[in-house]
Amino acid sequence: MPRMVAERTDVLPALGECFREHGFEGASLALIGAATGLGKGSLYHFFPGGKAEMAAAVLAEIDGWFEREVFAPLKDSEPPDAGIAAMFEATETYFRSGRRVCLVGCFALGDVRDRFAEAVRSYFQRWIDALRLALQRAGASPDEALRRAVDVVGGIQGAIVLSRALDDPGVFSGMLARMRRDLTEMKPSS
Amino acid sequence: MPRMVAERTDVLPALGECFREHGFEGASLALIGAATGLGKGSLYHFFPGGKAEMAAAVLAEIDGWFEREVFAPLKDSEPPDAGIAAMFEATETYFRSGRRVCLVGCFALGDVRDRFAEAVRSYFQRWIDALRLALQRAGASPDEALRRAVDVVGGIQGAIVLSRALDDPGVFSGMLARMRRDLTEMKPSS
DNA sequence: GCCCATGTGTACCAATCGGTACATAGTTTT
DNA sequence: AAAACTATGTACCGATTGGTACACATGGGC
């Protein structure tokens, strides 16, 4: 039996997938152990705070990924349309055309929302802000940029719900493509 | 101690609220008992199939409510805009400006989706179909009506997620108002 | 009065829950 | 090589889980 030495960051992806599939309450330590390949000993060694700390660590990792791959490009890319395009592509890939659930969105719907309220709020607020800034840089007025940013960030969450409900990834991709088109057609029309 | 005789349909609202707040796995029999005021004896008398049957009954009640209050008006109201207006008003009220979660949408995100797949699929499919027909009757082309119906039904789900995440009912109401305006402005523009 | 349907509360069940304690094994450090 | 630290497996804990069994209480029909 080879000894498999792990690090905290190594297990975060499997941990996240487990929470995504089963939710916070549904992800029992047995399921988490099976998903990560780690026993309770290791789990509580890495996360002394138990499930709550595991979930917080996963949220932080997701947050960092989006900050790096989505929010920052939205704020910095020149021209701004490049950042917007990158956002839609990253989103399509990350959520696997709606087959993969948004853990932050799931937490927002459940009663765990209160426990991770700040992380959940910050994630969506910063996404909206980043997109809003990109749209303003692309020529939209401040309040039009805000409205469109809210609609798109919300629309992505709805696309996940709907495509999973209908069991049709095409619904997700279709909705995203339409939102993307609406955003890029913004300049000529407005 | 007065004897309180209940009926199966009487407990469905409280049952639904309990599932909404805690999810399927999170709603323990203890919580369900507290929410309904019923002991296990009564609960298993009304729902011999246990939690699964309770959830199925709640889904059926929700389905019936939407069929009656939303889908049917969408299909029958004359002019069609009246049905669409009724849909937005019923939705705003039912979801309490995003403070109340959509149980069907929640189930779609979790691993319970497979267990109630047909109920979940049918609910959203019929909502989309009803709205699509109303839009066609209002003059939209078949494929434009379908696209808009998908975007609106999905958008409502996203509005719930986002407004709960940001803890701001105004986000829900704002998104719905914008979708409604887009739909009613459809005729003059298109 | 009695009987039987329908509800209801309670005791109980095995299984699982999240979490703790601790001995041990492997790896670094000294 | 000894010591110290990190990682891991296992045994165990009380509490809670969904579910069952059953006694009993209430009601209407006769």
Side-chain angles (χ1 to χ4, degrees):
Chain A
M1 189 81 97
R3 191 182 139 80
M4 207 84 48
V5 179
E7 276 187 47
R8 205 181 120 116
T9 50
D10 292 339
V11 304
L12 287 182
L15 210 45
E17 227 53 52
C18 193
F19 280 125
R20 261 183 274 266
E21 285 173 28
H22 308 286
F24 182 75
E25 355 254 359
S28 67
L29 287 183
L31 285 172
I32 292 173
T36 59
L38 260 46
K40 290 188 186 185
S42 305
L43 251 13
Y44 275 83
H45 175 68
F46 291 131
F47 310 98
K51 270 178 72 174
E53 187 174 345
M54 300 180 206
V58 168
L59 283 181
E61 194 223 14
I62 294 172
D63 194 275
W65 191 91
F66 272 85
E67 179 65 48
R68 200 177 344 109
E69 305 288 333
V70 179
F71 307 163
L74 275 175
K75 283 185 273 198
D76 301 335
S77 285
E78 195 62 41
D81 306 270
I84 293 173
M87 178 193 86
F88 279 109
E89 278 149 27
T91 304
E92 175 82 34
T93 309
Y94 184 87
F95 294 117
R96 302 210 189 104
S97 303
R99 276 178 296 254
R100 193 197 212 187
V101 139
C102 176
L103 186 61
V104 194
C106 284
F107 277 17
L109 288 180
D111 58 349
V112 271
R113 178 188 65 149
D114 303 326
R115 209 194 292 215
F116 304 103
E118 187 44 36
V120 170
R121 208 209 95 265
S122 165
Y123 169 85
F124 283 110
Q125 188 63 64
R126 278 157 45 225
W127 193 343
I128 291 171
D129 284 345
L131 180 54
R132 197 198 73 220
L133 285 175
L135 291 172
Q136 277 188 245
R137 289 197 297 130
S141 73
D143 63 319
E144 192 198 350
L146 175 59
R147 278 181 343 215
R148 284 179 180 265
V150 167
D151 288 351
V152 167
V153 173
I156 291 170
Q157 295 298 310
I160 297 173
V161 174
L162 199 53
S163 81
R164 273 184 64 93
L166 299 177
D167 202 18
D168 179 3
V171 168
F172 179 87
S173 305
M175 283 183 69
L176 255 68
R178 253 166 277 145
M179 290 191 274
R180 183 174 181 170
R181 184 171 45 72
D182 287 354
L183 246 41
T184 51
E185 277 179 359
M186 190 186 61
K187 225 178 304 183
S189 81
S190 163
Chain B
M1 188 81 98
R3 191 183 138 82
M4 207 84 48
V5 179
E7 276 187 48
R8 205 181 120 116
T9 49
D10 292 338
V11 303
L12 287 181
L15 210 44
E17 228 53 53
C18 193
F19 280 125
R20 261 183 274 266
E21 285 171 27
H22 307 286
F24 182 74
E25 355 253 0
S28 67
L29 286 183
L31 285 171
I32 292 174
T36 59
L38 260 48
K40 291 189 187 183
S42 304
L43 251 13
Y44 274 83
H45 176 67
F46 291 130
F47 309 98
K51 269 177 73 173
E53 187 174 345
M54 299 182 206
V58 168
L59 283 180
E61 194 222 15
I62 293 172
D63 193 276
W65 191 91
F66 273 84
E67 180 65 48
R68 200 178 342 110
E69 306 287 335
V70 179
F71 307 163
L74 275 175
K75 283 185 273 197
D76 301 334
S77 285
E78 194 61 42
D81 306 272
I84 293 173
M87 178 193 85
F88 279 109
E89 278 148 28
T91 304
E92 175 83 33
T93 309
Y94 184 86
F95 294 118
R96 302 210 188 102
S97 302
R99 276 178 296 255
R100 194 198 213 186
V101 139
C102 176
L103 186 62
V104 195
C106 283
F107 278 16
L109 288 180
D111 59 349
V112 271
R113 177 188 65 149
D114 303 326
R115 209 194 293 217
F116 303 103
E118 186 45 37
V120 170
R121 208 209 94 265
S122 165
Y123 169 85
F124 283 110
Q125 188 65 62
R126 278 157 46 226
W127 193 343
I128 291 170
D129 284 346
L131 179 54
R132 197 198 71 220
L133 285 176
L135 291 172
Q136 278 187 245
R137 291 197 296 131
S141 73
D143 64 319
E144 191 198 350
L146 175 59
R147 278 182 342 214
R148 285 179 180 265
V150 167
D151 288 350
V152 167
V153 174
I156 291 170
Q157 295 297 310
I160 297 173
V161 174
L162 198 55
S163 81
R164 274 184 63 94
L166 299 177
D167 201 19
D168 179 4
V171 168
F172 180 87
S173 304
M175 283 183 70
L176 254 71
R178 253 165 277 145
M179 291 190 274
R180 182 174 181 170
R181 184 171 44 72
D182 287 353
L183 245 41
T184 51
E185 277 179 0
M186 192 185 60
K187 225 177 306 184
S189 81
S190 164

